[in-house]
Amino acid sequence: MSVLLVAGTRTGVGRTTTVAALAACAIAAGGASPPSVVAVKPVQTGAAPGEAADLAVVQRLAPQVDTREFARFPDALAPHHAAWVGRAPALPFADTVRHIDDLDAAYDLVLVEGVGGLLTPFDPDRRWTLLDLAADLHCPVLLVVDVGVDAVADTALAVARLEDEQIPLAGVLVGRWPAEPDLAARCAVGDLQGLAPDRRLAGALPDGLSSGGRFAARARAALGPAWGGRFDSRAFVAAQVP
Ligand SMILES: Nc1ncnc2c1ncn2[C@@H]1O[C@H](COP(=O)(O)OP(=O)(O)O)[C@@H](O)[C@H]1O
Ligand SMILES: [Mg+2]
């Protein structure tokens, strides 16, 4: 019924944790009739067959969620390099679109985690990217970002690229907010909020969210009302102004 692409400005920004938080929050907000949710990792790189990877993390944090992985390559590289180096067939674009469309028909919510950045190729020949997937599926993109010194520049580029392609930006979300943010982080969040739809961050996941208990309750505190949570972007940013 609805597909969301969860993209990162780069790898390691907290997309996997974000997918789990969105799923847990949507399910908790659904009360007695929770939505059916499936988390998709189109290509998992850097993991051997059978090894626990991103979707195992999602399942640990949000056990009610179903998961699908379409391809896996052992080298910890971008998918097009990992397929090439592993002499394995890359994931075809048309198959990926069809698989996601089928899941969309079967589930209330399909959360697709990107690999690498927005423009990371999936295939050594066609070099299709998450941007192509969003354009073909006509689905919005949630950008998960960090709060380092380059975060605002990276996010502005990604937002501009989505605008160029007329792909709706579902939100800008801080994937890992430190318990003791440094000056760069506190300066960044105001600009990040300014780049977000309605000039509000979709959320800020506190560092440590993926460990410890009560994941769904803590995820609700970290995600905004549009995502079933209670996070107040304006108050959050106002509290950080140096
Ligand atoms: N909010 C968070 N709190 C604690 N650890 C986190 C948080 N977000 C991400 N991490 C950790 O940071 C690493 C990268 O996060 P991950 O979600 O896998 O990033 P991505 O999927 O964007 O590559 C992982 O080891 C993950 O457990
Ligand atoms: Mg991940």
mmCIF file with all atom_site columns, all heavy atoms in Angstrom, residues 157-178:
data_model
loop_
_atom_site.group_PDB
_atom_site.id
_atom_site.type_symbol
_atom_site.label_atom_id
_atom_site.label_alt_id
_atom_site.label_comp_id
_atom_site.label_asym_id
_atom_site.label_entity_id
_atom_site.label_seq_id
_atom_site.pdbx_PDB_ins_code
_atom_site.Cartn_x
_atom_site.Cartn_y
_atom_site.Cartn_z
_atom_site.occupancy
_atom_site.B_iso_or_equiv
_atom_site.pdbx_formal_charge
_atom_site.auth_seq_id
_atom_site.auth_comp_id
_atom_site.auth_asym_id
_atom_site.auth_atom_id
_atom_site.pdbx_PDB_model_num
ATOM 1   N N   . LEU A 1 157 ? 23.103 18.505 -1.125  1.00 0.00 ? 157 LEU A N   1
ATOM 2   C CA  . LEU A 1 157 ? 23.301 17.899 -2.449  1.00 0.00 ? 157 LEU A CA  1
ATOM 3   C C   . LEU A 1 157 ? 22.254 16.825 -2.727  1.00 0.00 ? 157 LEU A C   1
ATOM 4   O O   . LEU A 1 157 ? 21.685 16.766 -3.819  1.00 0.00 ? 157 LEU A O   1
ATOM 5   C CB  . LEU A 1 157 ? 24.696 17.268 -2.541  1.00 0.00 ? 157 LEU A CB  1
ATOM 6   C CG  . LEU A 1 157 ? 25.850 18.228 -2.798  1.00 0.00 ? 157 LEU A CG  1
ATOM 7   C CD1 . LEU A 1 157 ? 27.178 17.485 -2.697  1.00 0.00 ? 157 LEU A CD1 1
ATOM 8   C CD2 . LEU A 1 157 ? 25.726 18.865 -4.182  1.00 0.00 ? 157 LEU A CD2 1
ATOM 9   N N   . ALA A 1 158 ? 22.004 15.992 -1.728  1.00 0.00 ? 158 ALA A N   1
ATOM 10  C CA  . ALA A 1 158 ? 21.024 14.908 -1.909  1.00 0.00 ? 158 ALA A CA  1
ATOM 11  C C   . ALA A 1 158 ? 19.621 15.487 -2.129  1.00 0.00 ? 158 ALA A C   1
ATOM 12  O O   . ALA A 1 158 ? 18.880 15.033 -3.009  1.00 0.00 ? 158 ALA A O   1
ATOM 13  C CB  . ALA A 1 158 ? 21.042 13.978 -0.704  1.00 0.00 ? 158 ALA A CB  1
ATOM 14  N N   . VAL A 1 159 ? 19.274 16.504 -1.358  1.00 0.00 ? 159 VAL A N   1
ATOM 15  C CA  . VAL A 1 159 ? 17.942 17.122 -1.488  1.00 0.00 ? 159 VAL A CA  1
ATOM 16  C C   . VAL A 1 159 ? 17.796 17.755 -2.885  1.00 0.00 ? 159 VAL A C   1
ATOM 17  O O   . VAL A 1 159 ? 16.765 17.609 -3.549  1.00 0.00 ? 159 VAL A O   1
ATOM 18  C CB  . VAL A 1 159 ? 17.717 18.170 -0.373  1.00 0.00 ? 159 VAL A CB  1
ATOM 19  C CG1 . VAL A 1 159 ? 16.473 19.008 -0.639  1.00 0.00 ? 159 VAL A CG1 1
ATOM 20  C CG2 . VAL A 1 159 ? 17.615 17.482 0.994   1.00 0.00 ? 159 VAL A CG2 1
ATOM 21  N N   . ALA A 1 160 ? 18.855 18.422 -3.338  1.00 0.00 ? 160 ALA A N   1
ATOM 22  C CA  . ALA A 1 160 ? 18.811 19.062 -4.663  1.00 0.00 ? 160 ALA A CA  1
ATOM 23  C C   . ALA A 1 160 ? 18.639 18.023 -5.765  1.00 0.00 ? 160 ALA A C   1
ATOM 24  O O   . ALA A 1 160 ? 17.893 18.225 -6.731  1.00 0.00 ? 160 ALA A O   1
ATOM 25  C CB  . ALA A 1 160 ? 20.087 19.871 -4.888  1.00 0.00 ? 160 ALA A CB  1
ATOM 26  N N   . ARG A 1 161 ? 19.314 16.913 -5.609  1.00 0.00 ? 161 ARG A N   1
ATOM 27  C CA  . ARG A 1 161 ? 19.241 15.853 -6.627  1.00 0.00 ? 161 ARG A CA  1
ATOM 28  C C   . ARG A 1 161 ? 17.826 15.259 -6.682  1.00 0.00 ? 161 ARG A C   1
ATOM 29  O O   . ARG A 1 161 ? 17.304 14.966 -7.762  1.00 0.00 ? 161 ARG A O   1
ATOM 30  C CB  . ARG A 1 161 ? 20.276 14.778 -6.279  1.00 0.00 ? 161 ARG A CB  1
ATOM 31  C CG  . ARG A 1 161 ? 20.622 13.856 -7.376  1.00 0.00 ? 161 ARG A CG  1
ATOM 32  C CD  . ARG A 1 161 ? 21.398 14.574 -8.485  1.00 0.00 ? 161 ARG A CD  1
ATOM 33  N NE  . ARG A 1 161 ? 21.575 13.684 -9.628  1.00 0.00 ? 161 ARG A NE  1
ATOM 34  C CZ  . ARG A 1 161 ? 20.666 13.498 -10.572 1.00 0.00 ? 161 ARG A CZ  1
ATOM 35  N NH1 . ARG A 1 161 ? 19.526 14.162 -10.536 1.00 0.00 ? 161 ARG A NH1 1
ATOM 36  N NH2 . ARG A 1 161 ? 20.882 12.665 -11.564 1.00 0.00 ? 161 ARG A NH2 1
ATOM 37  N N   . LEU A 1 162 ? 17.202 15.077 -5.512  1.00 0.00 ? 162 LEU A N   1
ATOM 38  C CA  . LEU A 1 162 ? 15.825 14.572 -5.477  1.00 0.00 ? 162 LEU A CA  1
ATOM 39  C C   . LEU A 1 162 ? 14.883 15.577 -6.130  1.00 0.00 ? 162 LEU A C   1
ATOM 40  O O   . LEU A 1 162 ? 13.973 15.204 -6.889  1.00 0.00 ? 162 LEU A O   1
ATOM 41  C CB  . LEU A 1 162 ? 15.384 14.295 -4.028  1.00 0.00 ? 162 LEU A CB  1
ATOM 42  C CG  . LEU A 1 162 ? 16.075 13.117 -3.331  1.00 0.00 ? 162 LEU A CG  1
ATOM 43  C CD1 . LEU A 1 162 ? 15.755 13.123 -1.842  1.00 0.00 ? 162 LEU A CD1 1
ATOM 44  C CD2 . LEU A 1 162 ? 15.643 11.790 -3.949  1.00 0.00 ? 162 LEU A CD2 1
ATOM 45  N N   . GLU A 1 163 ? 15.120 16.859 -5.854  1.00 0.00 ? 163 GLU A N   1
ATOM 46  C CA  . GLU A 1 163 ? 14.288 17.908 -6.470  1.00 0.00 ? 163 GLU A CA  1
ATOM 47  C C   . GLU A 1 163 ? 14.426 17.873 -7.985  1.00 0.00 ? 163 GLU A C   1
ATOM 48  O O   . GLU A 1 163 ? 13.431 17.969 -8.709  1.00 0.00 ? 163 GLU A O   1
ATOM 49  C CB  . GLU A 1 163 ? 14.693 19.285 -5.944  1.00 0.00 ? 163 GLU A CB  1
ATOM 50  C CG  . GLU A 1 163 ? 13.979 19.649 -4.652  1.00 0.00 ? 163 GLU A CG  1
ATOM 51  C CD  . GLU A 1 163 ? 14.547 20.923 -4.018  1.00 0.00 ? 163 GLU A CD  1
ATOM 52  O OE1 . GLU A 1 163 ? 15.348 21.639 -4.679  1.00 0.00 ? 163 GLU A OE1 1
ATOM 53  O OE2 . GLU A 1 163 ? 14.209 21.172 -2.858  1.00 0.00 ? 163 GLU A OE2 1
ATOM 54  N N   . ASP A 1 164 ? 15.669 17.724 -8.471  1.00 0.00 ? 164 ASP A N   1
ATOM 55  C CA  . ASP A 1 164 ? 15.914 17.654 -9.925  1.00 0.00 ? 164 ASP A CA  1
ATOM 56  C C   . ASP A 1 164 ? 15.060 16.574 -10.571 1.00 0.00 ? 164 ASP A C   1
ATOM 57  O O   . ASP A 1 164 ? 14.571 16.736 -11.685 1.00 0.00 ? 164 ASP A O   1
ATOM 58  C CB  . ASP A 1 164 ? 17.377 17.263 -10.211 1.00 0.00 ? 164 ASP A CB  1
ATOM 59  C CG  . ASP A 1 164 ? 18.342 18.395 -9.935  1.00 0.00 ? 164 ASP A CG  1
ATOM 60  O OD1 . ASP A 1 164 ? 17.872 19.528 -9.750  1.00 0.00 ? 164 ASP A OD1 1
ATOM 61  O OD2 . ASP A 1 164 ? 19.569 18.123 -9.885  1.00 0.00 ? 164 ASP A OD2 1
ATOM 62  N N   . GLU A 1 165 ? 14.952 15.451 -9.873  1.00 0.00 ? 165 GLU A N   1
ATOM 63  C CA  . GLU A 1 165 ? 14.229 14.300 -10.431 1.00 0.00 ? 165 GLU A CA  1
ATOM 64  C C   . GLU A 1 165 ? 12.748 14.310 -10.054 1.00 0.00 ? 165 GLU A C   1
ATOM 65  O O   . GLU A 1 165 ? 12.041 13.345 -10.347 1.00 0.00 ? 165 GLU A O   1
ATOM 66  C CB  . GLU A 1 165 ? 14.865 12.990 -9.933  1.00 0.00 ? 165 GLU A CB  1
ATOM 67  C CG  . GLU A 1 165 ? 16.324 12.819 -10.285 1.00 0.00 ? 165 GLU A CG  1
ATOM 68  C CD  . GLU A 1 165 ? 16.572 12.660 -11.778 1.00 0.00 ? 165 GLU A CD  1
ATOM 69  O OE1 . GLU A 1 165 ? 15.702 12.105 -12.473 1.00 0.00 ? 165 GLU A OE1 1
ATOM 70  O OE2 . GLU A 1 165 ? 17.638 13.119 -12.242 1.00 0.00 ? 165 GLU A OE2 1
ATOM 71  N N   . GLN A 1 166 ? 12.337 15.361 -9.331  1.00 0.00 ? 166 GLN A N   1
ATOM 72  C CA  . GLN A 1 166 ? 10.949 15.484 -8.868  1.00 0.00 ? 166 GLN A CA  1
ATOM 73  C C   . GLN A 1 166 ? 10.509 14.280 -8.035  1.00 0.00 ? 166 GLN A C   1
ATOM 74  O O   . GLN A 1 166 ? 9.382  13.788 -8.160  1.00 0.00 ? 166 GLN A O   1
ATOM 75  C CB  . GLN A 1 166 ? 10.008 15.707 -10.045 1.00 0.00 ? 166 GLN A CB  1
ATOM 76  C CG  . GLN A 1 166 ? 10.345 17.013 -10.761 1.00 0.00 ? 166 GLN A CG  1
ATOM 77  C CD  . GLN A 1 166 ? 9.408  17.284 -11.915 1.00 0.00 ? 166 GLN A CD  1
ATOM 78  O OE1 . GLN A 1 166 ? 9.100  16.397 -12.696 1.00 0.00 ? 166 GLN A OE1 1
ATOM 79  N NE2 . GLN A 1 166 ? 8.955  18.507 -12.015 1.00 0.00 ? 166 GLN A NE2 1
ATOM 80  N N   . ILE A 1 167 ? 11.432 13.818 -7.216  1.00 0.00 ? 167 ILE A N   1
ATOM 81  C CA  . ILE A 1 167 ? 11.130 12.716 -6.296  1.00 0.00 ? 167 ILE A CA  1
ATOM 82  C C   . ILE A 1 167 ? 10.797 13.330 -4.940  1.00 0.00 ? 167 ILE A C   1
ATOM 83  O O   . ILE A 1 167 ? 11.570 14.131 -4.415  1.00 0.00 ? 167 ILE A O   1
ATOM 84  C CB  . ILE A 1 167 ? 12.332 11.755 -6.186  1.00 0.00 ? 167 ILE A CB  1
ATOM 85  C CG1 . ILE A 1 167 ? 12.529 11.032 -7.523  1.00 0.00 ? 167 ILE A CG1 1
ATOM 86  C CG2 . ILE A 1 167 ? 12.130 10.745 -5.048  1.00 0.00 ? 167 ILE A CG2 1
ATOM 87  C CD1 . ILE A 1 167 ? 13.840 10.345 -7.663  1.00 0.00 ? 167 ILE A CD1 1
ATOM 88  N N   . PRO A 1 168 ? 9.627  12.989 -4.374  1.00 0.00 ? 168 PRO A N   1
ATOM 89  C CA  . PRO A 1 168 ? 9.258  13.598 -3.098  1.00 0.00 ? 168 PRO A CA  1
ATOM 90  C C   . PRO A 1 168 ? 10.211 13.215 -1.959  1.00 0.00 ? 168 PRO A C   1
ATOM 91  O O   . PRO A 1 168 ? 10.581 12.052 -1.819  1.00 0.00 ? 168 PRO A O   1
ATOM 92  C CB  . PRO A 1 168 ? 7.852  13.065 -2.827  1.00 0.00 ? 168 PRO A CB  1
ATOM 93  C CG  . PRO A 1 168 ? 7.522  12.123 -3.916  1.00 0.00 ? 168 PRO A CG  1
ATOM 94  C CD  . PRO A 1 168 ? 8.608  12.095 -4.916  1.00 0.00 ? 168 PRO A CD  1
ATOM 95  N N   . LEU A 1 169 ? 10.601 14.240 -1.211  1.00 0.00 ? 169 LEU A N   1
ATOM 96  C CA  . LEU A 1 169 ? 11.434 14.030 -0.027  1.00 0.00 ? 169 LEU A CA  1
ATOM 97  C C   . LEU A 1 169 ? 10.479 13.810 1.149   1.00 0.00 ? 169 LEU A C   1
ATOM 98  O O   . LEU A 1 169 ? 9.741  14.719 1.539   1.00 0.00 ? 169 LEU A O   1
ATOM 99  C CB  . LEU A 1 169 ? 12.314 15.265 0.201   1.00 0.00 ? 169 LEU A CB  1
ATOM 100 C CG  . LEU A 1 169 ? 13.167 15.286 1.469   1.00 0.00 ? 169 LEU A CG  1
ATOM 101 C CD1 . LEU A 1 169 ? 14.207 14.184 1.454   1.00 0.00 ? 169 LEU A CD1 1
ATOM 102 C CD2 . LEU A 1 169 ? 13.849 16.660 1.623   1.00 0.00 ? 169 LEU A CD2 1
ATOM 103 N N   . ALA A 1 170 ? 10.499 12.607 1.716   1.00 0.00 ? 170 ALA A N   1
ATOM 104 C CA  . ALA A 1 170 ? 9.574  12.295 2.813   1.00 0.00 ? 170 ALA A CA  1
ATOM 105 C C   . ALA A 1 170 ? 10.050 12.907 4.122   1.00 0.00 ? 170 ALA A C   1
ATOM 106 O O   . ALA A 1 170 ? 9.237  13.190 5.003   1.00 0.00 ? 170 ALA A O   1
ATOM 107 C CB  . ALA A 1 170 ? 9.442  10.786 2.963   1.00 0.00 ? 170 ALA A CB  1
ATOM 108 N N   . GLY A 1 171 ? 11.341 13.111 4.242   1.00 0.00 ? 171 GLY A N   1
ATOM 109 C CA  . GLY A 1 171 ? 11.850 13.688 5.478   1.00 0.00 ? 171 GLY A CA  1
ATOM 110 C C   . GLY A 1 171 ? 13.362 13.623 5.546   1.00 0.00 ? 171 GLY A C   1
ATOM 111 O O   . GLY A 1 171 ? 14.008 12.945 4.744   1.00 0.00 ? 171 GLY A O   1
ATOM 112 N N   . VAL A 1 172 ? 13.901 14.368 6.500   1.00 0.00 ? 172 VAL A N   1
ATOM 113 C CA  . VAL A 1 172 ? 15.336 14.337 6.813   1.00 0.00 ? 172 VAL A CA  1
ATOM 114 C C   . VAL A 1 172 ? 15.432 13.903 8.277   1.00 0.00 ? 172 VAL A C   1
ATOM 115 O O   . VAL A 1 172 ? 14.788 14.505 9.144   1.00 0.00 ? 172 VAL A O   1
ATOM 116 C CB  . VAL A 1 172 ? 15.990 15.718 6.619   1.00 0.00 ? 172 VAL A CB  1
ATOM 117 C CG1 . VAL A 1 172 ? 17.442 15.707 7.082   1.00 0.00 ? 172 VAL A CG1 1
ATOM 118 C CG2 . VAL A 1 172 ? 15.888 16.160 5.155   1.00 0.00 ? 172 VAL A CG2 1
ATOM 119 N N   . LEU A 1 173 ? 16.181 12.856 8.528   1.00 0.00 ? 173 LEU A N   1
ATOM 120 C CA  . LEU A 1 173 ? 16.219 12.273 9.864   1.00 0.00 ? 173 LEU A CA  1
ATOM 121 C C   . LEU A 1 173 ? 17.665 12.081 10.326  1.00 0.00 ? 173 LEU A C   1
ATOM 122 O O   . LEU A 1 173 ? 18.504 11.590 9.558   1.00 0.00 ? 173 LEU A O   1
ATOM 123 C CB  . LEU A 1 173 ? 15.489 10.927 9.820   1.00 0.00 ? 173 LEU A CB  1
ATOM 124 C CG  . LEU A 1 173 ? 15.339 10.152 11.124  1.00 0.00 ? 173 LEU A CG  1
ATOM 125 C CD1 . LEU A 1 173 ? 13.988 9.447  11.139  1.00 0.00 ? 173 LEU A CD1 1
ATOM 126 C CD2 . LEU A 1 173 ? 16.438 9.129  11.297  1.00 0.00 ? 173 LEU A CD2 1
ATOM 127 N N   . VAL A 1 174 ? 17.953 12.485 11.532  1.00 0.00 ? 174 VAL A N   1
ATOM 128 C CA  . VAL A 1 174 ? 19.296 12.284 12.103  1.00 0.00 ? 174 VAL A CA  1
ATOM 129 C C   . VAL A 1 174 ? 19.362 10.849 12.631  1.00 0.00 ? 174 VAL A C   1
ATOM 130 O O   . VAL A 1 174 ? 18.613 10.467 13.527  1.00 0.00 ? 174 VAL A O   1
ATOM 131 C CB  . VAL A 1 174 ? 19.565 13.304 13.234  1.00 0.00 ? 174 VAL A CB  1
ATOM 132 C CG1 . VAL A 1 174 ? 20.887 12.996 13.924  1.00 0.00 ? 174 VAL A CG1 1
ATOM 133 C CG2 . VAL A 1 174 ? 19.548 14.724 12.677  1.00 0.00 ? 174 VAL A CG2 1
ATOM 134 N N   . GLY A 1 175 ? 20.270 10.066 12.051  1.00 0.00 ? 175 GLY A N   1
ATOM 135 C CA  . GLY A 1 175 ? 20.310 8.633  12.360  1.00 0.00 ? 175 GLY A CA  1
ATOM 136 C C   . GLY A 1 175 ? 20.949 8.302  13.687  1.00 0.00 ? 175 GLY A C   1
ATOM 137 O O   . GLY A 1 175 ? 20.701 7.228  14.249  1.00 0.00 ? 175 GLY A O   1
ATOM 138 N N   . ARG A 1 176 ? 21.788 9.205  14.174  1.00 0.00 ? 176 ARG A N   1
ATOM 139 C CA  . ARG A 1 176 ? 22.499 8.901  15.414  1.00 0.00 ? 176 ARG A CA  1
ATOM 140 C C   . ARG A 1 176 ? 22.873 10.202 16.097  1.00 0.00 ? 176 ARG A C   1
ATOM 141 O O   . ARG A 1 176 ? 23.837 10.864 15.703  1.00 0.00 ? 176 ARG A O   1
ATOM 142 C CB  . ARG A 1 176 ? 23.754 8.107  15.070  1.00 0.00 ? 176 ARG A CB  1
ATOM 143 C CG  . ARG A 1 176 ? 24.412 7.501  16.264  1.00 0.00 ? 176 ARG A CG  1
ATOM 144 C CD  . ARG A 1 176 ? 25.515 6.587  15.790  1.00 0.00 ? 176 ARG A CD  1
ATOM 145 N NE  . ARG A 1 176 ? 26.063 5.825  16.857  1.00 0.00 ? 176 ARG A NE  1
ATOM 146 C CZ  . ARG A 1 176 ? 26.898 4.813  16.681  1.00 0.00 ? 176 ARG A CZ  1
ATOM 147 N NH1 . ARG A 1 176 ? 27.254 4.470  15.457  1.00 0.00 ? 176 ARG A NH1 1
ATOM 148 N NH2 . ARG A 1 176 ? 27.374 4.160  17.711  1.00 0.00 ? 176 ARG A NH2 1
ATOM 149 N N   . TRP A 1 177 ? 22.069 10.570 17.087  1.00 0.00 ? 177 TRP A N   1
ATOM 150 C CA  . TRP A 1 177 ? 22.284 11.829 17.786  1.00 0.00 ? 177 TRP A CA  1
ATOM 151 C C   . TRP A 1 177 ? 23.071 11.556 19.072  1.00 0.00 ? 177 TRP A C   1
ATOM 152 O O   . TRP A 1 177 ? 22.593 10.821 19.949  1.00 0.00 ? 177 TRP A O   1
ATOM 153 C CB  . TRP A 1 177 ? 20.942 12.500 18.092  1.00 0.00 ? 177 TRP A CB  1
ATOM 154 C CG  . TRP A 1 177 ? 21.090 13.789 18.821  1.00 0.00 ? 177 TRP A CG  1
ATOM 155 C CD1 . TRP A 1 177 ? 20.762 14.029 20.125  1.00 0.00 ? 177 TRP A CD1 1
ATOM 156 C CD2 . TRP A 1 177 ? 21.653 14.996 18.307  1.00 0.00 ? 177 TRP A CD2 1
ATOM 157 N NE1 . TRP A 1 177 ? 21.082 15.320 20.448  1.00 0.00 ? 177 TRP A NE1 1
ATOM 158 C CE2 . TRP A 1 177 ? 21.636 15.941 19.357  1.00 0.00 ? 177 TRP A CE2 1
ATOM 159 C CE3 . TRP A 1 177 ? 22.183 15.374 17.070  1.00 0.00 ? 177 TRP A CE3 1
ATOM 160 C CZ2 . TRP A 1 177 ? 22.116 17.235 19.191  1.00 0.00 ? 177 TRP A CZ2 1
ATOM 161 C CZ3 . TRP A 1 177 ? 22.659 16.662 16.909  1.00 0.00 ? 177 TRP A CZ3 1
ATOM 162 C CH2 . TRP A 1 177 ? 22.615 17.583 17.950  1.00 0.00 ? 177 TRP A CH2 1
ATOM 163 N N   . PRO A 1 178 ? 24.270 12.147 19.185  1.00 0.00 ? 178 PRO A N   1
ATOM 164 C CA  . PRO A 1 178 ? 25.124 11.821 20.333  1.00 0.00 ? 178 PRO A CA  1
ATOM 165 C C   . PRO A 1 178 ? 24.525 12.293 21.662  1.00 0.00 ? 178 PRO A C   1
ATOM 166 O O   . PRO A 1 178 ? 23.810 13.304 21.702  1.00 0.00 ? 178 PRO A O   1
ATOM 167 C CB  . PRO A 1 178 ? 26.422 12.576 20.042  1.00 0.00 ? 178 PRO A CB  1
ATOM 168 C CG  . PRO A 1 178 ? 26.292 13.189 18.701  1.00 0.00 ? 178 PRO A CG  1
ATOM 169 C CD  . PRO A 1 178 ? 24.869 13.122 18.274  1.00 0.00 ? 178 PRO A CD  1
#
